[in-house]
Amino acid sequence: MTSIKQPGEKELMFFSGRAHPELAEEVAECLGISLTPTKLVDFANGEIYARYLESVRGSDAFVIQSHTQPINKWIMEQLIMVDALKRASAKRITVVMPFFGYARQDKKGRGREPITARLIADIFKTAGADRLMSIDLHTSQIQGFFDGPVDHLFAMPVLEAYLKDKLDLANTTVVSPDTGRVRLSERWADTLGTPLAFIHKRRDLDVANSVKVSEVVGKVRGRTCVLIDDMIDTAGTICKAADALYEQGATNVIVAATHAVFSDPAVDRLKNSRISEVIVTNTLPLSEEKKFDKLTVLSIAPLIARAISEVFNDGSVTSLFEGEA
């Protein structure tokens, strides 16, 4: 079965690009349907061709693509798929991007810089997207960049459920690696019932991915520290934060992050760090060479499937996180 039909006219159809087929298949399995057959090929010069092998007319279409490396190719492929759906008369098109590409470029830090996150939102709207769905946006303000509904999902319940079985919460502190993640870390601390600490850092604006850790603020001595972040790119921030915590007397440091970007040299840094465990979700694909003994990967597919079902049935996505209808 490649779609879900309701009496009358509603029909859910689920499509996937080629960036992360394993996640798409898992989401489809959770939904109880199959991915709609789609022809996606590259021409010799790199151009992408897309064609759906079944009628999509009048459907409630959900097209999933993880914005992983090579990120520009996969964003372009998803845009082409959205355009094809629009021109094939899909009734509503929801773009599911577990990881929102260019999300870090959400404001102008200095003159003559772009706001590329806004550009990405504008391009998807122009292509024909009616709705966006993403997980743990780098900043919540990105929701306002898209002229339409945005379903901002949170991986926190998935990560917390795993950690609750491992931690002695009475001896645990949730730590934000920088001031930008404090609000997210506060939610973690409130849910787990633990103290909160944060690390004040300075970033070198002239050198990409360069971070200088300044000081730890909060109770960490003799405690297990859980470092919370939305993504791990080169792992410079996380590893320096872990070192700072150990210097302040932490007995153990665990990292929990949603998006495992793992650009070089992230894997080497994490493997050789004093961090005891790195917990991430599968919003982005991880090749075998990016996996290591300390890494734990949790599936985000059930959460995405539940959100898609709520959207399709005109239910409440917020209820997935706040327990309210």
Side-chain angles (χ1 to χ4, degrees):
M1 183 172 64
T2 60
S3 64
I4 297 174
K5 294 184 179 180
Q6 288 189 344
E9 51 185 313
K10 292 188 74 175
E11 179 182 15
L12 188 158
M13 300 186 79
F14 189 49
F15 310 85
S16 173
R18 295 173 291 173
H20 195 357
E22 296 83 7
L23 176 61
E25 290 284 358
E26 195 175 345
V27 173
E29 184 178 348
C30 293
L31 287 168
I33 62 176
S34 301
L35 289 164
T36 302
T38 306
K39 182 179 180 180
L40 291 164
V41 296
D42 295 333
F43 288 120
N45 69 344
E47 292 180 4
I48 299 169
Y49 171 82
R51 181 176 183 269
Y52 301 111
L53 304 182
E54 293 183 4
S55 173
V56 301
R57 184 178 297 274
S59 67
D60 201 343
F62 294 80
V63 54
I64 188 170
Q65 181 81 300
S66 292
H67 296 173
T68 186
Q69 299 175 352
I71 189 168
N72 297 325
K73 175 179 179 177
W74 300 133
I75 290 175
M76 191 66 196
E77 180 174 90
Q78 193 173 27
L79 287 164
I80 291 169
M81 294 176 73
V82 170
D83 185 73
L85 285 167
K86 180 180 69 172
R87 297 179 189 280
S89 301
K91 186 174 183 180
R92 181 172 66 169
I93 303 168
T94 299
V95 169
V96 183
M97 45 177 79
F99 175 72
F100 190 112
Y102 290 91
R104 283 174 286 185
Q105 299 184 37
D106 61 330
K107 60 184 178 296
K108 290 181 65 173
R110 295 182 295 178
R112 301 181 298 281
E113 288 184 341
I115 304 179
T116 317
R118 171 60 190 265
L119 175 64
I120 294 295
D122 286 344
I123 292 173
F124 273 102
K125 185 65 177 181
T126 300
D130 298 298
R131 189 182 196 106
L132 297 186
M133 183 182 293
S134 192
I135 302 170
D136 283 336
L137 293 168
H138 190 61
T139 54
S140 295
Q141 70 196 44
I142 293 174
Q143 296 174 83
F145 292 173
F146 183 75
D147 188 16
V150 176
D151 298 303
H152 186 195
L153 312 183
F154 302 100
M156 186 172 70
V158 177
L159 296 166
E160 280 185 344
Y162 174 81
L163 283 169
K164 280 181 178 178
D165 293 333
K166 293 179 65 69
L167 299 174
D168 173 13
L169 296 179
N171 193 43
T172 298
T173 297
V174 170
V175 183
S176 171
D178 56 46
T179 54
R181 303 268 80 79
V182 168
R183 290 192 65 183
L184 173 63
S185 299
E186 281 179 343
R187 293 185 60 185
W188 273 77
D190 289 344
T191 304
L192 295 175
T194 66
L196 173 68
F198 72 91
I199 296 174
H200 175 65
K201 72 176 185 181
R202 297 190 64 184
R203 184 179 295 275
D204 189 341
L205 296 178
D206 294 318
V207 181
N209 303 113
S210 178
V211 172
K212 298 177 181 179
V213 172
S214 296
E215 59 181 323
V216 178
V217 180
K219 184 180 178 183
V220 300
R221 184 170 298 277
R223 302 177 68 84
T224 294
C225 293
V226 181
L227 270 167
I228 307 299
D229 213 343
D230 63 319
M231 72 174 77
I232 302 174
D233 190 356
T234 61
T237 297
I238 286 294
C239 289
K240 289 184 179 180
D243 289 340
L245 291 171
Y246 277 117
E247 288 171 6
Q248 294 298 314
T251 57
N252 186 29
V253 176
I254 297 172
V255 171
T258 304
H259 309 296
V261 180
F262 286 2
S263 303
D264 286 335
V267 173
D268 288 337
R269 283 175 171 170
L270 293 169
K271 283 198 303 187
N272 298 321
S273 72
R274 298 172 66 186
I275 296 167
S276 62
E277 185 175 12
V278 180
I279 307 158
V280 299
T281 72
N282 61 342
T283 56
L284 294 168
L286 284 174
S287 58
E288 286 302 317
E289 57 267 24
K290 289 188 176 182
K291 297 178 181 178
F292 49 97
D293 291 341
K294 291 193 251 184
L295 181 67
T296 300
V297 182
L298 306 178
S299 178
I300 206 72
L303 176 64
I304 296 175
R306 288 170 59 198
I308 289 173
S309 295
E310 290 293 340
V311 170
F312 176 61
N313 292 308
D314 297 323
S316 170
V317 175
T318 302
S319 67
L320 300 180
F321 309 103
E322 297 183 4
E324 301 171 355

